[in-house]
Amino acid sequence: MLRLRHCLPGPSAIRVLSSAVASGSDKAGAETSEGGSSQQGGRLPRVTIQPAIKRNPTDLLQALSDTVGVDPTAPHFAFIDDPAMIPSTAAAKRHYYMAKELGKRAARQLAEEWPTLFMFDRDYPRLSAFRPEQQPDPLQVDPTEENLLKMVEQREVKDAVMLYERMRSENKDVSDSAQLALFKLVAYYNGENVPFAEWEEWHGLRNYGESKYNEWTNAGIADLLYETLPKTAETTSILVAGMCKFASAESVQRAENLIKEMLEKNQVPHVEAFNGLIAKGDHGQWTWALAQMKNVKVKPNIGTWNALLSANTKLQSNSERKSHLAKLLNEMIALGVEPSLTSYNIVLEGIIDTREQVAGGTHGGMTREEQDQLEDALSWMVEIVSRLESLPQLTIQSPECNHFFLTAMVYASRASNLPLAERLVALYESEKNLVKMPAFTVENQFYTRYLRLYIERTHSINDIEEKYKELVPRLVGVTKTLTREMCEKVRNAPKWSCIRRVIEDGINSRAMTDHKQSSIFRKILLDVSFLNLSISEREEYKNLVKKLVGAWVELSRFTEENTKRLQIKMFPATVSECALMLHRIGESDRAYEMLETLLDEEAKYGETATITDQGTPNYQSINEMFQDALRESNASRAAICLEILALNTSRNKLEPLAAQIIERYEFISSKNIKSFCIL
Amino acid sequence: MLGQVLARGGRLPCVDCARAIATSSADMVNRAAKYRSTRDRSQLLTYDMAMRPHHIGVKKAWLTWHSQNLEEFRQQQPVTLTQDEIVRRFIRGFFPQHVVVHGNEVVIKRRGNVLFVSGFLQYSKRLDHRRIYWMFGFVEEFLSLVLKQPVKLELAFVETEDDVAYNYI
């Protein structure tokens, strides 16, 4: 303000300033009061600075993020932000992500093995996160309870069991609390190591690692520990829950018997034990379990409801299944239990019975029964999505919650219902949704379904192009099916920018090594009217053609013994079409060089062959080049074209061409036409 | 200088003092960070190399970014210097086939507690994407564990070293 006092010319200007400040005081967080006395007394406006607004540590970052927004064309943060390094396909994403993660694991391993080499200890306070420690070997470590508990805490199941067995063999005492902790761990994981899906630090293995389903190990370490521990409601419930988690027919039966034993002893089983039996038991078992829950007054939780919903999906009758699911959902809502996304997912999966092979008439690849089920599922989905949209927040209740979005998208896609799919995407991307699908796997499938549906239901090529560029390759990996569908669209409504992008994505996803797909690429490029393109587009067209032809030629030239497996021989049609493309972009010399290979026997037969002896060259392509050669009065080129056609087409197609040559040059007598045609 | 002393008829200094005398001709030209031209103009210059030292902060920026040279922020100047050297040597040693201009132009930036390593790498003979991703993961984790702070690589790829050439002298 002091500076302003000197700068402004006089009281009138100050009055203007003060009124401006006063009018904007709410926004600026400052108040002014002049009192109209500046004119008489020359007083300056009084400015009161408001106290600073208290903000969270992440508010600034949030504001920046909101301002900048998400760049959908940028690669995932895990990948190198360089066009040559951004993966296009789901497989490439998997390989690169895993490669990077394994590199990190290798470095971590070095630091664990040789920590003294990493002692650049300038951090204060010391950060243990950057000092990884090697896992203690259960056969080397001191057999103490402390070490055992440490292993239990770190969820090293097999190591903990090994150490426990060692302690028992060496007659070391293990307290009940330590045994209970070990028992909980062992029962929860069935004596196996933690599955990949529960790995916290290494995301790649968590998402891509596959853990086999294993059944409960009878007379395993969990059973042995249970025998040594007091048979309380807690321990028995843990054992029951474990048996139902790794269910087999035998283990479920044992679980039921254990619950019965508990009830006989007047012990109250925990809700998890009942939940397990309801989810994995048959109709009789879960109805019995529900009745017992009521008797012993065990309050159900969301897990109980989900278990009940799962149990109902096993019912054979479709109508019975639907009515049960509806009743259950209504009851949940009536009791004030908000169904989780897992509940809705179970409901949706339960409506369409994939096990049943329903006989009947088909319509659009689906049986009538399947169509009815799909219609039911859609009407349910509309209700569910409307309810979810009205909720203030979607929170994660269990690890399976994210599956709802994919299941719903699969049904919307099967029913070709684009508006519903768009509602799902909007719901998933909304700020209130805290449930996220794992990137590259489930999320990739979700968006791939959505994009394919969008392409199918949208007519405007501009809209399709915009959506395609928004989702590919960041969220959707390029696939052969997607490329084929996009090619169909651009063939019907050619647009150069879209054609270029689709073909370049095809190159990146190695679609050009597929004969059928590469043939489609060539047809699209040959359909493009080169003269109608702008100057910059012509350059792009030329570069793209050169790149494609160069790649096909290179792939055909892997004739050495060690590279033979990589070879993809060209078909005569490929050669002729490539030659025509080169000819159109002004690379006529190279085009005719390629054409001449069709006349070369060595190129077709023998160890160094680059062209297959199957199929014939494309007549239209050669004919166009032939006509151009005639227009240019280039007899040798016309002769090459005619010779190729003579070897591959019928006589009645050749005669008019030969007549054209004669008409043009008038040097062959009519007597020689026959011999020329025979050639 | 010796010539000037003799020309003025002065006496030569004693033997011990003579050690302190430089007898080569004084050349006041500042040659630091300036490159000699070649006859065949084969000396590659990147943009940074082409700009003179006095252009730092004007036409080109620094190769290391930190706040330790500012007044009242000099808590760990030597540590920062050491960190820089560790990072540069490691990048040069780990990507010997890929670094451009001998890895002299790796830019080290610090934002928050994260250290970012920027620059260019070249494709070399064959660009194996999976190998590169493995190496990136390894370097990021290795340097993080050494420096006890997160390290991120922001290295972009060029086909050959010629792609980073600004001029040939």
Side-chain angles (χ1 to χ4, degrees):
Chain A
M1 283 308 293
L2 281 173
R3 281 178 63 195
L4 283 172
R5 190 168 14 151
H6 293 298
C7 297
L8 292 174
S12 60
I14 291 172
R15 196 167 59 249
V16 171
L17 173 71
S18 65
S19 63
V21 172
S23 64
S25 62
D26 290 343
K27 254 187 178 177
E31 281 181 2
T32 62
S33 61
E34 191 186 359
S37 59
S38 62
Q39 262 182 321
Q40 291 110 18
R43 277 171 54 200
L44 289 170
R46 189 165 55 82
V47 177
T48 313
I49 305 296
Q50 294 285 337
I53 299 169
K54 284 188 179 172
R55 299 188 193 281
N56 292 324
T58 55
D59 277 359
L60 181 62
L61 289 174
Q62 188 63 46
L64 280 171
S65 169
D66 292 345
T67 310
V68 175
V70 177
D71 177 8
T73 58
H76 187 270
F77 68 87
F79 299 125
I80 302 168
D81 193 3
D82 183 287
M85 289 290 164
I86 300 171
S88 295
T89 62
K93 286 178 191 174
R94 177 193 170 118
H95 290 148
Y96 298 172
Y97 196 88
M98 288 301 293
K100 192 172 178 186
E101 190 166 296
L102 291 172
K104 287 188 175 197
R105 282 166 64 89
R108 187 71 65 93
Q109 186 78 23
L110 287 181
E112 284 172 6
E113 296 275 351
W114 293 285
T116 49
L117 301 181
F118 291 80
M119 284 172 66
F120 185 64
D121 292 335
R122 290 286 170 174
D123 51 329
Y124 182 79
R126 286 169 73 85
L127 302 166
S128 57
F130 295 107
R131 291 181 174 79
E133 285 176 10
Q134 207 168 15
Q135 286 298 331
D137 184 350
L139 298 176
Q140 303 291 330
V141 77
D142 287 342
T144 60
E145 196 173 304
E146 191 188 351
N147 285 332
L148 179 67
L149 288 172
K150 200 184 275 182
M151 284 182 183
V152 170
E153 196 186 347
Q154 290 171 345
R155 299 194 301 167
E156 296 293 332
V157 185
K158 285 192 168 175
D159 285 359
V161 169
M162 216 180 282
L163 183 61
Y164 174 73
E165 284 172 349
R166 200 174 138 218
M167 287 169 77
R168 300 301 283 184
S169 64
E170 291 177 16
N171 290 325
K172 301 273 182 187
D173 286 334
V174 184
S175 69
D176 277 359
S177 62
Q179 287 196 58
L180 181 64
L182 181 63
F183 171 66
K184 283 179 184 173
L185 183 75
V186 169
Y188 193 80
Y189 292 111
N190 192 22
E192 298 292 331
N193 274 335
V194 177
F196 287 126
E198 291 185 30
W199 282 33
E200 285 174 12
E201 190 168 6
W202 304 108
H203 314 138
L205 284 168
R206 187 174 66 210
N207 283 352
Y208 292 118
E210 289 172 6
S211 301
K212 60 176 184 180
Y213 179 80
N214 55 356
E215 291 186 344
W216 182 255
T217 315
N218 280 320
I221 187 72
D223 283 335
L224 294 175
L225 279 165
Y226 176 69
E227 292 304 324
T228 57
L229 286 165
K231 309 281 183 297
T232 62
E234 187 192 10
T235 53
T236 315
S237 298
I238 289 167
L239 190 67
V240 169
M243 284 172 168
C244 294
K245 186 180 175 189
F246 303 95
S248 66
E250 193 186 347
S251 70
V252 173
Q253 190 56 50
R254 267 189 71 199
E256 188 189 357
N257 295 339
L258 283 169
I259 292 179
K260 281 178 182 168
E261 279 175 26
M262 272 197 282
L263 293 170
E264 282 167 11
K265 290 181 201 167
N266 288 330
Q267 289 178 337
V268 180
H270 289 207
V271 68
E272 286 80 11
F274 284 120
N275 291 354
L277 191 60
I278 292 168
K280 297 295 161 86
D282 56 26
H283 186 258
Q285 283 170 324
W286 63 259
T287 45
W288 175 83
L290 278 178
Q292 297 308 315
M293 279 179 85
K294 191 183 171 190
N295 287 344
V296 293
K297 293 180 182 166
V298 173
K299 197 179 173 188
N301 59 12
I302 186 73
T304 317
W305 291 104
N306 287 344
L308 265 176
L309 289 168
S310 299
N312 271 291
T313 57
K314 292 177 198 161
L315 293 173
Q316 288 297 320
S317 161
N318 190 27
S319 58
E320 199 182 354
R321 206 165 54 234
K322 274 189 293 186
S323 70
H324 277 227
L325 290 172
K327 277 180 194 169
L328 275 170
L329 273 185
N330 286 333
E331 197 167 339
M332 283 173 83
I333 293 164
L335 291 172
V337 180
E338 184 58 42
S340 64
L341 288 180
T342 308
S343 317
Y344 291 130
N345 186 44
I346 295 166
V347 169
L348 286 181
E349 283 181 341
I351 291 171
I352 294 185
D353 189 359
T354 49
R355 296 166 304 175
E356 244 175 82
Q357 294 297 320
V358 189
T362 58
H363 177 78
M366 280 192 287
T367 62
R368 195 179 299 280
E369 193 69 28
E370 281 172 344
Q371 271 226 322
D372 290 344
Q373 288 182 0
L374 189 59
E375 279 173 18
D376 285 341
L378 276 185
S379 56
W380 276 75
M381 255 175 66
V382 172
E383 295 290 326
I384 291 169
V385 172
S386 302
R387 185 170 178 83
L388 292 175
E389 282 169 343
S390 68
L391 293 176
Q393 203 165 51
L394 304 184
T395 50
I396 191 157
Q397 306 278 337
S398 69
E400 290 84 30
C401 275
N402 65 75
H403 294 177
F404 164 77
F405 291 103
L406 180 58
T407 311
M409 184 57 81
V410 168
Y411 289 163
S413 158
R414 282 176 68 182
S416 298
N417 193 330
L418 184 59
L420 189 56
E422 285 184 330
R423 278 176 71 187
L424 276 172
V425 172
L427 181 67
Y428 178 69
E429 290 175 353
S430 67
E431 283 183 3
K432 70 177 182 181
N433 176 34
L434 304 180
V435 182
K436 296 294 173 192
M437 291 178 271
F440 312 136
T441 51
V442 184
E443 197 179 56
N444 175 53
Q445 290 178 42
F446 174 81
Y447 279 106
T448 304
R449 290 264 180 184
Y450 169 61
L451 180 60
R452 287 182 58 197
L453 178 60
Y454 190 90
I455 293 168
E456 182 196 323
R457 306 299 296 174
T458 310
H459 297 294
S460 162
I461 190 70
N462 291 331
D463 292 346
I464 292 175
E465 184 189 6
E466 193 181 337
K467 186 63 75 181
Y468 181 86
K469 287 182 175 175
E470 188 184 314
L471 298 177
V472 178
R474 168 78 169 80
L475 294 166
V476 177
V478 183
T479 59
K480 280 182 185 172
T481 319
L482 181 65
T483 310
R484 197 170 56 242
E485 285 168 357
M486 280 300 290
C487 285
E488 245 171 62
K489 285 284 175 183
V490 292
R491 281 192 82 180
N492 295 334
K495 189 184 179 200
W496 170 245
S497 57
C498 193
I499 291 171
R500 183 182 157 221
R501 175 61 188 266
V502 171
I503 294 179
E504 283 183 344
D505 280 347
I507 294 170
N508 290 337
S509 63
R510 300 183 185 182
M512 55 183 303
T513 56
D514 179 55
H515 172 63
K516 199 174 171 186
Q517 194 58 54
S518 50
S519 168
I520 293 171
F521 287 164
R522 285 193 300 274
K523 281 191 176 67
I524 291 172
L525 284 173
L526 288 171
D527 286 346
V528 172
S529 174
F530 184 66
L531 296 175
N532 288 343
L533 298 176
S534 67
I535 295 170
S536 61
E537 286 173 346
R538 283 183 196 177
E539 277 304 310
E540 289 169 2
Y541 183 89
K542 282 181 185 177
N543 291 336
L544 189 59
V545 166
K546 283 180 199 169
K547 193 191 283 183
L548 279 170
V549 174
W552 280 316
V553 170
E554 195 178 336
L555 285 170
S556 71
R557 285 183 182 167
F558 285 120
T559 52
E560 299 292 325
E561 195 57 41
N562 56 340
T563 56
K564 196 86 175 169
R565 62 189 174 85
L566 299 171
Q567 189 187 23
I568 299 172
K569 285 183 185 175
M570 286 198 286
F571 285 86
T574 311
V575 176
S576 57
E577 285 166 1
C578 285
L580 179 60
M581 286 195 294
L582 288 172
H583 178 65
R584 282 190 185 173
I585 63 168
E587 299 265 331
S588 296
D589 293 342
R590 206 176 150 203
Y592 279 94
E593 269 175 33
M594 279 195 82
L595 271 191
E596 281 174 6
T597 56
L598 289 174
L599 300 170
D600 185 4
E601 289 294 309
E602 281 184 12
K604 280 188 181 178
Y605 306 102
E607 285 294 308
T608 57
T610 55
I611 302 170
T612 63
D613 53 353
Q614 297 164 1
T616 55
N618 188 326
Y619 176 79
Q620 280 82 15
S621 305
I622 306 275
N623 189 29
E624 189 179 326
M625 292 180 74
F626 175 74
Q627 300 297 340
D628 280 353
L630 284 185
R631 266 195 296 278
E632 291 163 5
S633 303
N634 195 326
S636 64
R637 287 182 173 178
I640 290 169
C641 294
L642 200 62
E643 195 177 345
I644 292 165
L645 289 176
L647 291 170
N648 296 290
T649 50
S650 59
R651 184 187 180 122
N652 56 354
K653 280 187 177 175
L654 282 177
E655 279 178 358
L657 300 179
Q660 279 180 16
I661 288 189
I662 291 160
E663 192 183 333
R664 184 84 186 172
Y665 295 104
E666 293 178 353
F667 68 90
I668 299 176
S669 65
S670 59
K671 195 182 168 187
N672 291 334
I673 290 178
K674 273 188 181 176
S675 57
F676 197 83
C677 290
I678 289 164
L679 174 72
Chain B
M1 187 179 281
L2 183 64
Q4 287 171 358
V5 171
L6 293 173
R8 285 201 298 268
R11 289 170 53 199
L12 273 174
C14 63
V15 177
D16 287 346
C17 297
R19 282 185 184 174
I21 297 172
T23 52
S24 55
S25 62
D27 191 351
M28 304 306 287
V29 179
N30 181 7
R31 290 184 181 279
K34 292 173 185 176
Y35 296 88
R36 278 193 176 186
S37 57
T38 53
R39 281 188 179 181
D40 55 352
R41 292 175 70 88
S42 60
Q43 168 69 54
L44 181 150
L45 292 188
T46 64
Y47 178 82
D48 263 28
M49 289 158 79
M51 295 300 132
R52 298 299 171 94
H54 58 267
H55 287 142
I56 293 173
V58 182
K59 289 185 177 177
K60 67 174 180 180
W62 293 264
L63 291 179
T64 176
W65 288 77
H66 57 85
S67 55
Q68 298 300 316
N69 289 337
L70 302 176
E71 283 299 328
E72 299 181 12
F73 280 89
R74 296 180 178 176
Q75 292 95 338
Q76 48 170 13
Q77 255 181 331
V79 175
T80 309
L81 205 69
T82 317
Q83 281 187 343
D84 282 1
E85 200 51 34
I86 289 171
V87 171
R88 285 178 201 287
R89 286 188 187 198
F90 194 82
I91 296 290
R92 276 202 295 268
F94 204 70
F95 296 101
Q97 307 284 327
H98 296 281
V99 287
V100 291
V101 288
H102 312 293
N104 290 334
E105 294 201 351
V106 170
V107 182
I108 296 168
K109 296 179 281 188
R110 292 171 176 83
R111 290 201 290 270
N113 69 331
V114 187
L115 189 145
F116 293 90
V117 182
S118 315
F120 287 104
L121 296 179
Q122 59 181 330
Y123 284 178
S124 185
K125 285 179 187 169
R126 179 169 169 263
L127 191 65
D128 184 347
H129 286 60
R130 266 192 269 182
R131 184 169 144 266
I132 291 290
Y133 268 100
W134 190 94
M135 291 167 89
F136 266 56
F138 183 88
V139 172
E140 284 186 356
E141 188 68 15
F142 191 95
L143 288 176
S144 299
L145 294 172
V146 171
L147 305 180
K148 311 289 185 289
Q149 68 183 100
V151 176
K152 301 274 176 200
L153 298 189
E154 288 183 346
L155 299 165
F157 281 81
V158 289
E159 203 166 331
T160 61
E161 205 172 51
D162 295 337
D163 291 347
V164 294
Y166 175 73
N167 197 7
Y168 287 92
I169 57 169

